[in-house]
Amino acid sequence: DSGVTQTPKHLITATGQRVTLRCSPRSGDLSVYWYQQSLDQGLQFLIQYYNGEERAKGNILERFSAQQFPDLHSELNLSSLELGDSALYFCASSVAEGGYEQYFGPGTRLTVT
Amino acid sequence: GENVEQHPSTLSVQEGDSAVIKCTYSDSASNYFPWYKQELGKRPQLIIDIRSNVGEKKDQRIAVTLNKTAKHFSLHITETQPEDSAVYFCAASGTGGGADGLTFGKGTHLIIQP
């Protein structure tokens, strides 16, 4: 157990819908990262927040957005869902901004039908 | 941006033998190189990492080597055991510290034959 929690574990929804994934970092960690894992794209970095501020963006679609709240939990919002958005979504956390030693949560499996 | 190539995609070794997985990266500014192990249906688990000011790091049966000049790094597992069977991912931070998040290789499926 890494100490990072994610909810829900599984999510099944229809195309065009909007969902919110939630992540709580390890106690003391200020950085949260979101990653998408799919068979064709592999593990891809989406976005990073540090202490409530966006720090870096990766291959995140405009339909996706995220935020980090004062209690440091983070939410990833996915809208106008397409079949291709079906994937495992992981969040990871680390102590500092620099990205060293990222610990992953158990992931949310999103299925878009 | 950073690009990480990982080889081989599948590696089968006899229990007790050594396994080596190799990665190359493109961004010379990268300075952090972690390795993750992922079992089926589970989270990626950080098993070892190395920073660019170090050439080699070892933790029990696992070691990582880094050649900054050639821009490649490798994972070495000695005395392999059945529980080492998993998918292993190498990664690199694109701007020397992770401000871009981690760029991952495609993964190596390590199979330990009894």
Side-chain angles (χ1 to χ4, degrees), chain A residues 43-62:
Chain A
L43 256 171
Q44 285 203 310
F45 167 65
L46 297 178
I47 197 164
Q48 176 200 1
Y49 278 81
Y50 174 77
N51 204 20
E53 300 287 330
E54 182 185 305
R55 273 294 180 262
K57 266 187 172 179
N59 298 317
I60 189 166
L61 299 172
E62 284 192 12

Side-chain angles (χ1 to χ4, degrees), chain A residues 2 35 37 45 56 98 101-102, chain B residues 32 36 38 43 97-100 102:
Chain A
S2 66
Y35 292 87
Q37 186 174 36
F45 167 65
E101 295 188 36
Q102 295 182 31
Chain B
Y32 177 62
Y36 285 84
Q38 188 177 29
R43 74 189 78 200
D100 280 344
L102 295 173

Side-chain angles (χ1 to χ4, degrees), chain A residues 80-99:
Chain A
S80 303
L81 285 167
E82 301 175 359
L83 295 177
D85 297 328
S86 295
L88 256 175
Y89 291 84
F90 288 103
C91 82
S93 72
S94 66
V95 170
E97 184 178 358

